[in-house]
Every structure is written in C-alpha cells, then in structure tokens.
Amino acid sequence: MVKREIIEELRAWRNRVSRKPLILRGARQVGKTTAVNLFAQDFKQYIYMNLEIERDRNLFMQYRSIDTLVRAIFFEKGKLLEEKETLIFIDEIQEVPEALNMLRYFYEQYPQYCLVAAGSLLESLFDTKISFPVGRVEFKVVRPFSFQEFLLAMDERGALEQYHKVPMDFFAHDKLLSLFHAYTLIGGMPEIVLSYSVHKDIVALTPVFDSLIGTYLDDVEKYTTTSNQTQIMRHAIRSVFMEAGNRIKFNGFGNSAYSSREMGEALRTIEKAMLIHLIYPTTQATEPFMPDMKKSPRLQVVDTGMLNYMAHLQREIFGTNDLNSVYKGHIAEHIVCQELLAHQVSLLHKPLFWVSEKKDSVAEIDFLAYINGRVIPIEVKSGATGRLRSLHLFMDSYRGNVAVRLYAGEIRKDVLTTPGGKNYTLLSLPYYLTGKIGEYLEPV
C-alpha cells in the first residue's frame, strides 16, 4: 500500500484538542478505506465497521442509545472499551443515514475515541430531511493520487527527492517531465496506478479501466428513482468523459435531446458524488472572487486517466513532448486542475477561472487558485512569455503582483510589464511542479 498524503492530515486531526468525528468525502474508488486502514496502524485498537454488511448495519438500526450502541460495537468486535487509543471507522455510512446523526453523540459523550466515517453518495444525503450533526463533525476530502503519490507508488525515489528539493536540480527536468506524462496518461486512480506500477503496461490497464468506469455506471440506480432518470444519468456519466475540459451547456449536453433542467439535475447529482467538478468563471479582477453561476462552467472529471481512456487520447499523449499540444490544450489544463485539487483536503476553495466581462472579448485566465492565503492567477501555456495577453489584462486590474505559468519548460522568473504599465513577476514552472507552486512562491 502507498502512503497517502491524507495520512498526515488525519494525524493532525487526531492530535487536535477539540477533535470532532471526521467524515471523509470523495468519489468511489479513490482510496478512502485504504487511507484509513493505513492510519489505523498508529492506534493500539482498530474497529472497522462496514454498513453494507448486515451484522454491522444492524447494530446502528437496533440500538438508538449511544451508551448501548458503543458497548455493543466493542462487544461485537471483541475490543476493550477502556482502551482510549482506539480508532473507530464506519465505512459505507450512507447505508444507514440515521447513523450520521449518531456521530454527534460520539462527539459529546465519547470524545476519547477517534471516529472516522466514509461512504458514497453522502452529498446526496445532505439534501434529505435526515437529522445531521451540524457543528459536531469535520470534513476532509480524499482524491485520486497526486503526482507525488504516483512517484512513490512507482518507487521513483530519486525523482521524488528532486520533486521535494526546492529548487530542484536542472538535470532532473527531463525525467520528471517524462514521469509526469506517464502520470497524465494513466491518471491517479489507486487501482490503476498500482496495477501500472507492477506491469508497466498500458494495454494491461484496459480491463481495470473498464471495471472502474463500469462501477460508476452500475451505481446509477442509487442516484435515481425512475427509469427515465436512470437513462439520463447513464447518458450524463458516459458523456462527461467526452466533454471534460470544455466549457459546457446543460441543454442538449452530450449531443442529447435532454433539457437544461434534466441535464442540470443529472450533472449536479454527479458532482455531489464527486465524479465531476463544475469549475465556474468569475469576471472580477478584485477580491473577493465570486463564481458567476449564470455563465457556462468548465467540466472537470475526477481523473484524467479515465478521461484519456474514454476519449481515446492515450496514444496521442504517449508520443507528445508538450501536453499543451494534446486535445487543444485541454489535457494540460485538466491535469493541472487535478493536481491543484489533489493538494486540497477542504472543499472551501475550489479553483475558478477568469473571463473578461467586456462584450466580444475572448480574454481568459485558466485558473485562479487559493495558495498560501492568496489568490494566484495561473496560466497553462507553451511558447514565449510575450503571448500572455489575457494575463496582462487581468494583472492590470488585480492588486497582486505575482502570476504563475505552467508549461513544459524549466523553472524561470521574469518581470513583465503590462500594456497599462504595471510590473509583475511571472513564475514559470514545469507542469509537474503544480503541487509545489506554494513553495516556489515563497521567495517571490
């Protein structure tokens, strides 16, 4: 098993004085259960419960008293009630929605135990009338493998050492870029990465991708109540991989005859399951930046590798020297967004992108990302620094004086001047350092 970055977040949560029960959110198959199993090695006692298993589920359905429930859990699992260094993990908690409300009583009456819950479709449960322990639980997000975790899984110790060295040595660039292309090609879904680390064979991943995507399609019935909704949802899930990276409209999404309302409901439901992200634009050049929900969002799927597989882009990526030349630059933008999200365990600061509010203007900044307590404009580009018209336009109005360009080249720093006469620093980093932007910004 690969040590996940989320483990350090879990350890920090455990040591917090005012620790609350923790709910892990994330799409299916991103490794929530595996991460908790790894975290459990820090404890003297580990209680694992899976509410898809009838015997575990019945405990929560039979016992509504928290005292009885806790005693029953420890008795059923053969654990010591007096052992305070105990981790309790309630997996697939969505199978008993009322169990979510019981978390408040663990917080109020049994704070000595560390309690983590996880499951699928939790975001849909939040919209129901179940009693939810507001203010008595915490949330963190588990996402697909980051590039750092990919290097660890591939046992690329030298590359990982250079990745963490700031600044890295110039001679490491070509190898890290090549490894990042491999990461972009197969993505960060744990089962895919671990299979590739063993076989190093793209063709051998075909049945794994088929099974993974089939799992999402098979889950459709859990999102729907009618056969028509099921058809719409199946179309939406298949289509998101073909439309990923594009700005989309709900009406007729995926070359369908479905209405804006039908597809909007389907896509928002899929977003709640964290299979996709709808990244909205802002037209503001001053903080606070607010997404404009009236404008078309950019579609981000959970994993670039799944996108490549479904859209038949693997061969094109395999032979490229610059990701920005693939799929009109969408793949480069998509993997950058995936890396930005991979280093966020919170849902509070989803990236935005910027568009000019001027009529007939095509000016656009790829991302506005919250890094080190400030918003950083990020362009995903190739070519010379002079071809940054949209960035110049944005920086003329933005109060900040630092921007980032991600590209296939090496690390460099330039002081540029906008047409309006404003000087700002452009930090150019290779794509694979997306997760290290914050550290490279420190001296800027």
Side-chain angles (χ1 to χ4, degrees):
M1 291 190 290
V2 176
K3 181 182 176 183
R4 302 294 307 273
E5 293 175 55
I6 189 69
I7 301 298
E8 294 305 316
E9 293 289 335
L10 294 175
R11 286 173 176 161
W13 162 79
R14 177 191 182 182
N15 294 326
R16 203 169 300 146
V17 175
S18 56
R19 181 188 65 230
K20 301 175 183 178
L22 179 67
I23 296 178
L24 290 182
R25 300 163 75 173
R28 275 191 178 275
Q29 307 296 318
V30 295
K32 298 187 292 294
T33 301
T34 301
V36 178
N37 288 338
L38 285 168
F39 177 51
Q41 296 173 9
D42 293 357
F43 292 79
K44 292 182 179 179
Q45 208 168 236
Y46 178 38
I47 295 176
Y48 174 73
M49 306 187 71
N50 185 330
L51 300 195
E52 287 186 331
I53 299 172
E54 184 178 5
R55 192 158 180 167
D56 288 351
R57 184 167 62 245
N58 285 342
L59 290 173
F60 283 87
M61 298 179 71
Q62 291 176 4
Y63 305 115
R64 300 302 184 187
S65 162
I66 185 63
D67 294 328
T68 305
L69 175 62
V70 169
R71 291 199 305 271
I73 289 173
F74 277 75
F75 175 77
E76 176 68 26
K77 299 299 180 179
K79 303 298 182 180
L80 299 174
L81 196 62
E82 61 271 18
E83 178 55 71
K84 293 183 179 180
E85 286 193 41
T86 297
L87 173 64
I88 302 172
F89 179 35
I90 306 172
D91 204 0
E92 304 297 349
I93 196 171
Q94 79 282 349
E95 295 297 323
V96 186
E98 295 81 2
L100 282 167
N101 189 47
M102 295 301 292
L103 300 184
R104 78 163 65 231
Y105 302 112
F106 277 95
Y107 168 67
E108 293 170 352
Q109 299 181 41
Y110 291 90
Q112 67 269 35
Y113 305 129
C114 287
L115 190 143
V116 179
S120 305
L121 309 181
L122 291 180
E123 286 68 23
S124 294
L125 290 180
F126 297 159
D127 291 340
T128 67
K129 294 181 180 179
I130 66 166
S131 179
F132 189 78
V134 177
R136 289 171 172 79
V137 294
E138 299 179 40
F139 298 95
K140 291 188 184 296
V141 184
V142 180
R143 306 187 192 274
F145 277 16
S146 65
F147 180 53
Q148 171 183 322
E149 291 168 330
F150 172 81
L151 293 176
L152 186 61
M154 299 297 292
D155 199 28
E156 289 284 354
R157 299 182 184 182
L160 190 61
E161 180 181 350
Q162 284 293 326
Y163 176 79
H164 286 304
K165 185 177 181 181
V166 180
M168 53 172 276
D169 292 320
F170 71 91
F171 57 74
H173 172 73
D174 288 344
K175 183 174 182 178
L176 278 167
L177 187 62
S178 176
L179 287 166
F180 191 74
H181 284 179
Y183 169 64
T184 302
L185 176 64
I186 70 167
M189 296 304 283
E191 186 178 3
I192 297 290
V193 173
L194 295 177
S195 177
Y196 184 73
S197 71
V198 174
H199 303 291
K200 303 294 193 300
D201 184 358
I202 298 296
V203 177
L205 297 178
T206 296
V208 189
F209 274 118
D210 285 342
S211 175
L212 187 60
I213 294 168
T215 297
Y216 290 116
L217 290 170
D218 291 342
D219 273 351
V220 163
E221 284 75 10
K222 298 178 182 179
Y223 301 87
T224 61
T225 56
T226 68
S227 59
N228 185 55
Q229 287 178 339
T230 299
Q231 289 180 345
I232 295 171
M233 192 68 70
R234 282 189 177 276
H235 171 78
I237 291 176
R238 289 183 183 277
S239 298
V240 292
F241 296 105
M242 307 303 176
E243 298 283 356
N246 295 319
R247 293 187 67 178
I248 63 168
K249 294 183 178 179
F250 294 159
N251 188 47
F253 176 77
N255 293 326
S256 72
Y258 296 122
S259 68
S260 177
R261 180 185 61 80
E262 290 171 319
M263 288 313 307
E265 288 178 358
L267 291 172
R268 281 187 285 270
T269 299
I270 297 172
E271 185 176 34
K272 289 175 185 175
M274 304 193 76
L275 178 58
I276 66 171
H277 302 282
L278 298 175
I279 310 294
Y280 280 90
T282 181
T283 57
Q284 301 165 257
T286 56
E287 297 180 83
F289 295 100
M290 297 289 291
D292 189 339
M293 309 297 283
K294 300 185 295 296
K295 294 187 178 296
S296 299
R298 184 191 299 153
L299 179 61
Q300 176 86 15
V301 297
V302 64
D303 180 65
T304 304
M306 295 168 69
L307 159 60
N308 297 331
Y309 178 74
M310 289 293 286
H312 307 293
L313 296 171
Q314 290 176 322
R315 184 179 297 276
E316 189 176 354
I317 294 172
F318 194 76
T320 188
N321 292 318
D322 186 351
L323 293 174
N324 208 56
S325 66
V326 179
Y327 199 36
K328 301 178 182 178
H330 291 330
I331 292 300
E333 292 176 6
H334 199 277
I335 193 63
V336 163
C337 188
Q338 184 168 322
E339 269 289 271
L340 290 171
L341 289 169
H343 295 277
Q344 290 187 0
V345 296
S346 168
L347 290 174
L348 294 180
H349 299 293
K350 187 163 68 174
L352 301 170
F353 65 100
W354 177 83
V355 295
S356 173
E357 60 184 350
K358 295 180 180 178
K359 196 171 184 180
D360 300 323
S361 174
V362 293
E364 182 174 308
I365 302 295
D366 294 321
F367 297 103
L368 297 180
Y370 192 76
I371 300 172
N372 291 1
R374 53 179 170 165
V375 175
I376 302 296
I378 299 173
E379 282 280 63
V380 183
K381 295 287 186 186
S382 59
T385 57
R387 299 174 59 188
L388 294 167
R389 297 185 184 89
S390 295
L391 185 58
H392 289 332
L393 180 63
F394 176 82
M395 294 302 293
D396 259 333
S397 301
Y398 183 47
R399 67 180 180 85
N401 59 359
V402 177
V404 171
R405 176 180 67 153
L406 297 168
Y407 72 141
E410 298 181 1
I411 301 167
R412 58 180 290 178
K413 199 180 299 180
D414 298 279
V415 176
L416 305 182
T417 303
T418 70
K422 178 180 178 178
N423 293 331
Y424 70 96
T425 298
L426 178 67
L427 175 64
S428 295
L429 297 173
Y431 301 120
Y432 54 79
L433 291 180
T434 299
K436 290 288 186 178
I437 290 175
E439 293 179 48
Y440 278 88
L441 280 174
E442 284 300 324
V444 177

